[in-house]
Amino acid sequence: MGLSIRHLCYTYEEGFSIRDICLDALNGRVLGIIGPNGSGKSTLIQCVVGLLRPQSGLIRIEDRDSASMTRREVAQRIGYVPQNHPPAFPFRVLDIVLMGRTPYLGMLQTPSRCDEALAEERLAELGIRHLADRPYTHISGGERRLALIARALAQQADILVLDEPTAYLDFRNRHRVTQTISDLASQGAAVVMSLHDPAEALECCHDAILLSEGAIAAAGPSCEAVTEENLSRAYGVPITRVDAPRFLVKPDGR
Amino acid sequence: MGENRMTRKRKPFSFLAALASIALVLLTGCKPGNEPSHKNTAGDITDQAGRSVSLPKKVTSVVCLWPETTRILYALGAKDMLVGVDNQVGKDPVLQKVWPEIRDVPVIGTMSSVNVEQLVAARPDLVIVSARSRRLADQIAGHGLSVVCFHPRGKWKSFLEEITLTGRCVGRQHEAADLRRFIEEKMAEVQTIVTALPDDRRPRTYVTFAYDPLRTTPLDSVELAGGSNIAEGNRDIWYTVDMEWLLARDPDVIVQHALGRYDLATMGGGWSSLRAIKMNKVYRVYLGFCGVDPAQYVAQVRQLAALFHGPDIPWSRDLAADGRAIFQRVYGRGDVFDALVREMNITLAPAETQQTKE
Amino acid sequence: MRRWLMILLLASPLLAFPVSMLSGRVWISPRAVGQMILTPQEASIQPTLQAVLWQVRLPRILLALLVGAALSVSGASLQQVCWNPLVSPYIMGVSAGACFGAALAVVLWGGGYATMQGCAFAFGCIAVAITSALSQIRGDSSPVSLVLAGIIVSACFGALLFMVYLIADPDKVAQVVYWSMGSLHAASWSGVIRSFPGIGLGVVLLYAFRWRLSVLSMGTEAKALGVAYERERILLLAATTLVTAFAVSVAGTVAWVGLLVPHLVRLILGADSRSLIPASITFGAAFVLLADTLARTVYKYDLPVGILTTLIGAPFFLYLLRRSRTAWV
């Protein structure tokens, strides 16, 4: 069952740390991590996917202790969508998605035709099949995010971890990404994502965690955790909730 | 002096400049400013870099940064004038033996650079540098010292010229004339025999560099000894050739610089297909160290002539005695030639004689 | 189209080989070459021609192919492993270390190709070891710290080299200078035999890891894709060092190959290492072979091939960068 974290601590050499983080990400639900800049969102995400090795605490992935798992085994269970960063080289979008098959390949193996078919399928699911042969460095930010999600899907993992998937996206692309994420959750995936904007946690997450200075300030179903009072405390400024004019893409329009 | 001008121009440096001046005064023990006074010159010469130099009237101390001239100075009996040398001359296989005390002469530079403080402190009457280090000469002259440049650039005649000029510079004209006469006589003995030879009796010769057998040079001693150097051009430089070129020329004789330790017969890479190697005509000859050596050069030409032309050359029967006599005359130490032969495994008999012995 | 270009690049050594076999200071007709290859026993061919072909030209061609393949594949791999398109084998300090080693060998033991190559190899490896150790100091070994460490190590070995130049006899220095410009003029079968195992092993290893090289070019993110990042990175860095050190030790600094060839191949075939690595191996081999063929024929002296690869490579690299600026800068 999904991902569960207990008492996780990570301290950088420079002194910043995240402390005593506990969370559960369940299949079929979306967990949002919010908090001010520098509150430890990315650190937490990187600990979860194995980019950082926590000094203490427990990460259980589908009821197994991740410390006893190889990187490969972790990568078969957790799909990771990093924050946007263009690679140094102009890979084709299809090659990027194919990299998601790496956890299933031996060290000296190259992806087979089956893997390629699977990768193309993932691109088709996200509606970006036409990008397959384009250089990854030449497509837009939203398309890149979708390509990275396709890569995470190619990992065929039940848990998806996304680092600020909606940051810097325009209206249409943000809609495509959030829509895709909620679709995936409804198909049974456990989704963990960090978010820049607390309002998005209310909008598209079932649960939410509010981080402040490396510790959990509030947790629970998003409507309970993301409150004026909690946000004011975490961000250090008085915050009030308003129903300002907003635009949304109509439910049937993609 | 330069420092004084700087003091006025640049205030921040005035302290340093003052310190430097004091240091100079202390080191040299005299007031700043010892330009050669032109009233005291012994006349002008044109050195081998084409510079016109006024020689000081009396030269009693010399700094020599060019091993070739250091050897000439020794041969002219002027070794006690040396108050500073370059860093290479101490490794000269000949000087090491004839004058082991050269190690005690202060090293104050290389062939292309100098420690100015040491140089100024040594207060030499004359500084000698290689003509290839023209810029160094100008730098030293800028410190008010007399500098001459010598470098025969591989030309035999200009080496003789260098001996004469060196003699003039240090007031040993007679010794220089004697040495020159001796060398010319010894060389003339070779010339009278080899000039009579037809072209087809001049072995086509390839000269190898000490540290890389595929570098060669149009060394003139080969021609002087009645051979024909297959290297192109006539400039005194070592350049790199490729093996195909060498195989196509297929020289009759290979002259290997005896400082080199490699064995051409086992080199691989096509060497073993060369006629000279098949016929065992690889001759180890000491080609010198940092320029020409007055004794060794004569011995080398006479050795090459004997190796090329065997019985036609009277001294070919006992090359060791010939070399010994030359070293005895030039350096006063005949045994040094034997030591060189042992140390570098120098070839003393042409291939035919070697084969008949075996 | 892409497929045909790929085939062309893979076959390029086969095209360059006959050209090089027939060029040189000694003219050997295609007929004679054929005869010597097919019926070497027949005595109708001059022994000199036999020696030129078998003892000189062929080993030199093979060595050029080996060196070209080694430098290009290690350039391509290093760029992927360091996720930095401007890295080349020499950035790691290999060539500075190797040149210092060669100079030391010549000055201390009077040279000889084997001593020089052995010493160059040892110091090339030492330099990379220091570079890697320095880049780990801050614990992260990012591409920037690797490049910075490489610059530091290169600078130090460069200074040591100048010190050797200053102390040593100028005649010896001339040989080291010539060698350090990158030259195959001393090629022989023993050189081929000495360098083949190291270069062959490294090239095969890098080829086998070609997909991993793609994934590693994603940076630390590769960890989340199931790659044993640190271990594989060290293994691949070691393999690139091995092939570069062997190539540098036999041929000196043949510059620009490790930068130019991978970029050209990437421009034609894309960034995917599955095609980049094999095509870099073959095209790099062909490139150095052609450059060396020019080096031994165009001028009356034998030119160091490194001068030609630089003269061809540097302007062409500028052209590539301008043409495809958006692609990787």
Side-chain angles (χ1 to χ4, degrees):
Chain A
M1 54 124 254
L3 175 80
S4 122
I5 293 176
R6 292 289 172 270
H7 310 297
L8 181 113
C9 295
Y10 182 88
T11 309
Y12 286 100
E13 266 174 47
E14 292 81 23
F16 176 76
S17 65
I18 56 172
R19 297 170 306 277
D20 202 26
I21 306 287
C22 301
L23 64 82
D24 287 296
L26 304 176
N27 289 98
R29 290 179 79 84
V30 179
L31 171 70
I33 302 171
I34 54 175
N37 287 342
S39 61
K41 297 190 295 285
S42 283
T43 309
L44 175 57
I45 295 265
Q46 290 184 29
C47 285
V48 171
V49 297
L51 295 191
L52 297 176
R53 200 167 282 281
Q55 280 96 1
S56 67
L58 187 70
I59 301 175
R60 294 181 71 82
I61 299 165
E62 289 169 359
D63 289 328
R64 280 184 63 192
D65 181 359
S66 75
S68 67
M69 295 163 76
T70 61
R71 283 241 168 86
R72 207 173 146 195
E73 287 171 323
V74 172
Q76 288 170 355
R77 289 165 179 81
I78 298 185
Y80 172 50
V81 179
Q83 271 204 48
N84 214 5
H85 86 80
F89 304 104
F91 284 101
R92 288 184 308 158
V93 170
L94 185 66
D95 293 331
I96 295 277
V97 179
L98 265 178
M99 288 183 196
R101 299 304 297 160
T102 309
Y104 299 95
L105 300 173
M107 219 163 22
L108 305 182
Q109 256 180 316
T110 54
S112 65
R113 286 203 183 281
C114 276
D115 293 318
E116 266 186 51
L118 192 140
E120 282 180 21
E121 229 173 84
R122 293 295 172 272
L123 283 173
E125 274 171 33
L126 295 179
I128 50 169
R129 177 129 192 214
H130 59 285
L131 297 178
D133 284 325
R134 297 271 301 281
Y136 178 79
T137 40
H138 285 193
I139 59 179
S140 74
E143 290 168 333
R144 257 180 227 168
R145 210 68 58 87
L146 287 171
L148 290 175
I149 294 176
R151 184 181 80 182
L153 294 182
Q155 285 178 252
Q156 292 185 312
D158 280 340
I159 304 167
L160 276 180
V161 177
L162 305 94
D163 201 354
E164 302 208 3
T166 54
Y168 314 116
L169 293 192
D170 72 9
F171 213 59
R172 176 163 162 269
N173 282 322
R174 195 167 75 172
H175 174 72
R176 269 163 98 178
V177 168
T178 51
Q179 191 60 49
T180 306
I181 290 169
S182 65
D183 287 352
L184 289 168
S186 61
Q187 286 159 27
V191 179
V192 178
M193 61 180 175
S194 64
L195 291 169
H196 197 65
D197 179 1
E200 282 185 347
L202 285 177
E203 211 173 291
C204 44
C205 297
H206 301 101
D207 305 297
I209 281 181
L210 178 61
L211 288 181
S212 170
E213 289 171 1
I216 292 183
S222 46
C223 52
E224 290 171 25
V226 186
T227 62
E228 288 178 352
E229 189 189 338
N230 287 343
L231 288 176
S232 303
R233 200 150 26 89
Y235 284 85
V237 283
I239 287 171
T240 180
R241 179 174 166 161
V242 291
D243 290 317
R246 292 202 61 189
F247 295 100
L248 287 176
V249 177
K250 289 180 185 168
D252 56 340
R254 274 218 141 163
Chain B
M1 272 197 86
E3 277 88 350
N4 293 337
R5 253 181 286 130
M6 259 170 59
T7 319
R8 265 172 252 127
K9 266 188 190 167
R10 295 190 172 186
K11 281 261 166 76
F13 293 112
S14 56
F15 176 67
L16 277 180
L19 258 187
S21 310
I22 292 168
L24 261 179
V25 172
L26 285 179
L27 280 169
T28 56
C30 72
K31 61 179 192 302
N34 49 352
E35 287 102 359
S37 50
H38 293 277
K39 294 154 214 159
N40 275 338
T41 56
D44 287 0
I45 61 161
T46 304
D47 71 8
Q48 291 185 319
R51 299 158 67 252
S52 180
V53 184
S54 334
L55 294 173
K57 198 157 206 171
K58 187 160 172 52
V59 173
T60 52
S61 62
V62 177
V63 163
C64 185
L65 300 174
W66 173 222
E68 179 174 287
T69 313
T70 306
R71 288 185 290 258
I72 295 175
L73 287 170
Y74 181 90
L76 297 182
K79 71 173 162 53
D80 293 332
M81 290 184 187
L82 282 167
V83 292
V85 290
D86 61 272
N87 64 338
Q88 295 301 325
V89 72
K91 298 179 217 158
D92 179 356
V94 174
L95 273 189
Q96 262 180 354
K97 294 179 188 68
V98 299
W99 183 29
E101 295 79 17
I102 190 163
R103 265 181 248 118
D104 305 330
V105 180
V107 171
I108 67 168
T110 69
M111 283 186 242
S112 53
S113 68
V114 71
N115 183 322
V116 177
E117 289 188 12
Q118 268 182 297
L119 178 71
V120 172
R123 293 175 64 197
D125 300 321
L126 184 69
V127 183
I128 298 170
V129 303
S130 159
R132 288 205 170 143
S133 307
R134 181 79 210 253
R135 195 181 294 175
L136 176 65
D138 295 340
Q139 181 201 347
I140 294 172
H143 290 278
L145 296 167
S146 297
V147 189
V148 288
C149 298
F150 289 136
H151 199 303
R153 296 186 194 273
K155 291 282 175 289
W156 171 234
K157 291 291 173 210
S158 37
F159 179 63
L160 293 176
E161 177 73 13
E162 182 182 349
I163 294 177
T164 308
L165 285 175
T166 308
R168 259 192 81 185
C169 286
V170 298
R172 305 268 162 147
Q173 288 92 334
H174 298 300
E175 289 87 342
D178 285 350
L179 179 62
R180 190 172 166 161
R181 200 174 312 117
F182 169 75
I183 293 174
E184 279 171 329
E185 277 166 18
K186 285 286 175 188
M187 296 292 281
E189 286 178 28
V190 183
Q191 294 312 304
T192 46
I193 300 172
V194 300
T195 43
L197 290 169
D199 273 358
D200 61 350
R201 288 208 44 205
R202 294 170 183 269
R204 292 178 317 107
T205 304
Y206 173 74
V207 179
T208 75
F209 183 57
Y211 311 108
D212 181 348
L214 281 174
R215 279 170 85 82
T216 189
T217 188
L219 190 74
D220 67 346
S221 51
V222 170
E223 314 287 342
L224 290 170
S228 157
N229 195 331
I230 63 169
E232 287 153 6
N234 57 1
R235 288 176 56 213
D236 166 39
I237 50 160
W238 291 92
Y239 67 94
T240 305
V241 298
D242 69 334
M243 198 62 210
E244 286 192 15
W245 174 86
L246 189 55
L247 277 165
R249 297 293 182 285
D250 205 11
D252 303 314
V253 169
I254 294 177
V255 170
Q256 179 181 355
H257 195 325
L259 279 178
R261 306 220 179 115
Y262 46 80
D263 178 10
L264 291 176
T266 58
M267 283 281 288
W271 285 94
S272 52
S273 308
L274 287 170
R275 182 186 346 183
I277 289 181
K278 284 190 205 144
M279 306 285 288
N280 207 13
K281 287 194 178 174
V282 179
Y283 298 139
R284 295 179 61 90
V285 179
Y286 175 46
L287 298 180
F289 174 90
C290 297
V292 179
D293 180 311
Q296 170 276 331
Y297 192 81
V298 180
Q300 166 197 327
V301 171
R302 292 169 69 89
Q303 180 197 0
L304 283 174
L307 295 173
F308 291 159
H309 305 295
D312 294 346
I313 306 291
W315 56 88
S316 67
R317 261 152 308 206
D318 196 351
L319 269 177
D322 195 58
R324 216 176 289 137
I326 294 166
F327 272 73
Q328 185 64 43
R329 162 62 186 83
V330 175
Y331 287 120
R333 288 282 302 276
D335 59 309
V336 166
F337 183 74
D338 295 312
L340 289 176
V341 169
R342 267 197 310 279
E343 188 180 290
M344 299 184 199
N345 192 17
I346 291 172
T347 312
L348 291 180
E352 287 86 358
T353 13
Q354 280 176 346
Q355 275 167 354
T356 48
K357 265 181 196 167
E358 277 159 14
Chain C
M1 180 63 182
R2 186 173 170 274
R3 170 187 269 272
W4 286 109
L5 285 170
M6 173 93 182
I7 292 173
L8 185 70
L9 288 183
L10 288 180
S12 54
L14 297 178
L15 303 176
F17 183 79
V19 174
S20 190
M21 263 317 239
L22 295 175
S23 326
R25 275 176 225 287
V26 179
W27 166 247
I28 308 178
S29 67
R31 225 181 109 94
V33 172
Q35 224 173 340
M36 275 187 265
I37 292 171
L38 298 174
T39 53
Q41 286 83 15
E42 282 182 25
S44 64
I45 309 285
Q46 274 184 48
T48 309
L49 294 191
Q50 297 259 16
V52 166
L53 194 74
W54 293 117
Q55 299 300 319
V56 181
R57 212 174 275 177
L58 194 59
R60 186 158 175 171
I61 287 172
L62 292 179
L63 210 58
L65 290 170
L66 275 175
V67 167
L71 293 177
S72 329
V73 77
S74 66
S77 310
L78 263 185
Q79 285 159 17
Q80 305 279 79
V81 171
C82 299
W83 13 303
N84 184 338
L86 293 177
V87 170
S88 79
Y90 299 135
I91 289 278
M92 301 284 293
V94 180
S95 91
C99 285
F100 173 70
L104 214 58
V106 170
V107 170
L108 292 184
W109 299 294
Y113 297 136
T115 332
M116 226 166 96
Q117 289 171 7
C119 238
F121 179 75
F123 276 90
C125 291
I126 290 174
V128 176
I130 299 175
T131 302
S132 311
L134 283 182
S135 72
Q136 303 280 344
I137 280 180
R138 281 187 56 232
D140 55 351
S141 182
S142 73
V144 176
S145 58
L146 190 72
V147 170
L148 280 179
I151 290 172
I152 292 168
V153 170
S154 298
C156 290
F157 275 107
L160 287 174
L161 180 67
F162 277 121
M163 203 149 115
V164 175
Y165 281 176
L166 211 64
I167 296 167
D169 164 2
D171 285 349
K172 293 181 180 177
V173 168
Q175 189 203 356
V176 181
V177 169
Y178 189 88
W179 176 84
S180 69
M181 287 188 281
S183 167
L184 290 161
H185 81 286
S188 67
W189 281 111
S190 65
V192 175
I193 290 163
R194 265 201 304 277
S195 54
F196 181 76
I199 292 179
L201 180 74
V203 168
V204 167
L205 199 70
L206 292 172
Y207 176 74
F209 273 87
R210 60 198 183 283
W211 177 250
R212 291 304 231 224
L213 285 168
S214 270
V215 180
L216 282 170
S217 77
M218 295 286 109
T220 46
E221 194 181 304
K223 292 179 190 174
L225 294 169
V227 173
Y229 181 76
E230 294 84 358
R231 239 181 304 150
E232 291 184 21
R233 209 160 163 257
I234 286 173
L235 177 74
L236 293 172
L237 280 179
T240 58
T241 306
L242 184 77
V243 291
T244 313
F246 268 102
V248 171
S249 72
V250 290
T253 314
V254 182
W256 285 89
V257 178
L259 203 54
L260 175 74
V261 171
H263 277 271
L264 187 68
V265 173
R266 217 177 266 125
L267 187 71
I268 297 173
L269 297 179
D272 184 6
S273 308
R274 285 175 297 167
S275 47
L276 173 68
I277 296 295
S280 289
I281 294 173
T282 54
F283 182 66
F287 175 68
V288 171
L289 177 55
L290 287 178
D292 185 53
T293 307
L294 281 181
R296 63 190 168 85
T297 49
V298 288
Y299 189 56
K300 61 178 173 177
Y301 304 157
D302 214 31
L303 296 177
V305 62
I307 289 181
L308 285 184
T309 54
T310 306
L311 287 181
I312 301 169
F316 193 65
F317 187 68
L318 183 70
Y319 164 76
L320 284 186
L321 279 185
R322 286 186 59 87
R323 231 197 91 166
S324 50
R325 190 171 353 175
T326 46
W328 56 67
V329 177

